[in-house]
């Protein structure tokens, strides 16, 4: 996803996300690697390895970023068999776009680019 | 307390399919016409789901397995009437309090053997916390008529 022009209607006047994330949210997603990880997790819950495959950063670096995001409450993980899978948190609260602004809601959210991953999922 | 009421939103469409097909596509096959980008969850939506019974959930399933509620089924009266709650407030969050729920009524009426008129009313928006923001958000997307047109296209394509 390219740089998103900040539009007025994506920045909410009342900021409910601040209660959820505090100032940490803004800071944590200021890092472009973390934004990229966040954006990938919005498309599919993933393991460290699966994320590293799609990003120009190493597995240890991905792990470190996930630890930071987890401590900040932006992702959660669970064991799925032998894998540990990460997903966005909280799932239903108004959240962050990759550009770091809040989503203003369902009829003004920009559609994501379709994922260009090698493995197409069955629908 | 302000006495003003947020006016209801309405939409209508005539679809070129029989009423049973129209009702089934609207409900059982909601995932074939509801736009993927119209949802509240943080993760991308995989599909919306409408549970086909009174008291059923209306919710989205995320691509990551998460689920976010949108409302409940208040009335399930195939093939003519469906009433749902819309409990997404002006902060784009689901509010579980039923006293804060707006309502969506959908009526299906035969208009000849191969045609069905579908009328939708979204009312009680002032029960939603910041319901005005929801009204504006829905209208800015073309309102319910635009959504019904997507439904009509899908229903016609699936015959």
């Amino acid at each position: 996803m390219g740089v998103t022009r900040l539009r007025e209607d994506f920045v909410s006047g009342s900021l409910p996300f601040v209660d959820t994330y505090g100032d940490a949210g803004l800071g944590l997603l200021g890092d472009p690697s973390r934004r990229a990880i966040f954006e990938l997790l919005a498309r599919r819950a993933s393991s460290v390895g699966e994320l590293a495959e799609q990003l120009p950063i190493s597995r240890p670096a991905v792990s470190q970023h996930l630890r930071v995001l987890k401590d900040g409450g932006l992702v959660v993980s669970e064991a799925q068999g032998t894998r540990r899978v990460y997903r966005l948190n909280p799932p239903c609260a108004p959240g962050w776009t990759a550009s770091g602004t809040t989503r203003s809601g369902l009829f003004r959210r920009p559609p994501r680019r379709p994922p260009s991953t090698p493995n197409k999922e069955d629908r | 307390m302000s006495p003003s009421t947020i006016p209801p939103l309405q939409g209508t469409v005539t679809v070129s399919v029989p009423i049973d097909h129209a009702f089934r596509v609207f409900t059982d096959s909601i995932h074939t016409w509801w736009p993927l980008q119209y949802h509240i969850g943080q993760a991308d939506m995989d599909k919306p789901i409408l549970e086909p019974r009174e008291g059923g959930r209306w919710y989205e399933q995320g691509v990551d397995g998460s689920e976010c509620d949108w409302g409940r089924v208040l009335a399930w009266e195939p093939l003519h009437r469906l009433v749902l709650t819309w409990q997404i407030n002006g902060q784009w969050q689901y509010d579980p309090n039923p006293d804060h729920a707006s309502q969506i009524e959908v009526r299906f009426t035969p208009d000849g053997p191969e045609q069905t008129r579908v009328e939708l009313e979204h009312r009680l928006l002032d029960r939603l916390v910041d319901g005005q923001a929801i009204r504006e958000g829905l209208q800015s997307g073309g309102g319910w008529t635009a959504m019904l047109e997507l439904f009509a296209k899908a229903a016609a394509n699936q015959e």
Side-chain angles (χ1 to χ4, degrees):
Chain A
M1 197 169 192
V3 171
T4 305
R5 185 170 47 93
L6 253 179
R7 286 170 50 188
E8 287 235 320
D9 57 359
F10 282 101
V11 180
S12 171
S14 70
L15 304 172
F17 62 92
V18 171
D19 293 331
T20 310
Y21 301 125
D23 290 331
L26 261 171
L28 294 185
L29 290 181
D31 179 292
S33 294
R34 283 189 214 121
R35 279 207 304 281
I37 288 169
F38 195 84
E39 191 65 17
L40 287 176
L41 291 178
R43 293 179 189 154
R44 185 182 310 157
S46 306
S47 66
V48 171
E50 287 157 358
L51 290 167
E53 270 169 33
Q54 299 173 77
L55 293 168
I57 55 183
S58 67
R59 284 186 62 137
V62 171
S63 280
Q64 172 62 17
H65 286 306
L66 285 170
R67 213 162 12 248
V68 170
L69 288 170
K70 204 172 172 184
D71 288 345
L74 297 189
V75 306
V76 290
S77 71
E78 66 178 18
Q80 277 187 10
T82 54
R83 294 158 80 226
R84 176 149 287 273
V85 169
Y86 292 81
R87 59 172 53 87
L88 297 182
N89 184 66
C92 308
W96 294 91
T97 65
S99 64
T101 59
T102 53
R103 289 196 284 106
S104 63
L106 109 156
F107 287 84
R108 282 177 285 179
R109 180 183 186 190
R112 294 182 192 275
R113 245 191 0 219
S116 53
T117 51
N119 304 316
K120 269 218 153 99
E121 294 208 326
D122 294 333
R123 283 186 66 88
Chain B
M1 196 188 294
S2 165
S4 65
T5 305
I6 303 173
L9 288 167
Q10 276 148 348
T12 188
V13 76
T14 297
V15 54
S16 307
V17 299
I19 189 172
D20 58 335
H21 184 73
F23 189 91
R24 297 299 170 205
V25 170
F26 194 96
T27 56
D28 294 344
S29 302
I30 185 173
H31 59 281
T32 64
W33 60 269
W34 189 279
L36 273 180
Q37 72 268 29
Y38 291 178
H39 72 108
I40 58 171
Q42 283 212 75
D44 286 351
M45 177 168 72
D46 184 43
K47 59 184 177 191
I49 293 172
L50 187 58
E51 291 185 339
R53 59 178 184 276
E54 191 181 299
R57 286 171 68 207
W58 185 33
Y59 65 103
E60 68 181 90
Q61 216 166 52
V63 291
D64 63 355
S66 59
E67 292 180 354
C68 298
D69 281 354
W70 295 354
R72 294 288 182 274
V73 178
L74 287 182
W76 177 261
E77 298 168 12
L79 303 164
H80 296 276
R81 188 171 171 256
L82 173 70
V83 181
L84 307 170
T85 64
W86 168 291
Q87 294 176 239
I88 301 167
N89 65 22
Q91 289 166 0
W92 302 98
Q93 282 182 298
Y94 174 75
D95 185 337
N97 185 341
D99 294 337
H100 295 169
S102 65
Q103 282 182 10
I104 295 173
E105 176 165 2
V106 190
R107 291 189 171 269
F108 300 77
T109 311
D111 188 7
E114 294 295 325
Q115 234 173 218
T116 306
R117 190 169 68 254
V118 182
E119 294 160 298
L120 182 151
E121 180 180 72
H122 187 175
R123 57 182 177 235
L124 305 179
L125 289 158
D126 39 8
R127 293 170 110 211
L128 287 170
V129 173
D130 197 5
Q132 185 60 35
I134 288 293
R135 191 174 202 277
E136 287 163 12
L138 288 169
Q139 283 192 301
S140 75
W144 286 110
T145 293
M147 295 286 279
L148 289 175
E149 281 163 7
L150 295 173
F151 151 72
K153 208 168 173 180
N157 286 343
Q158 288 170 46
E159 254 220 309

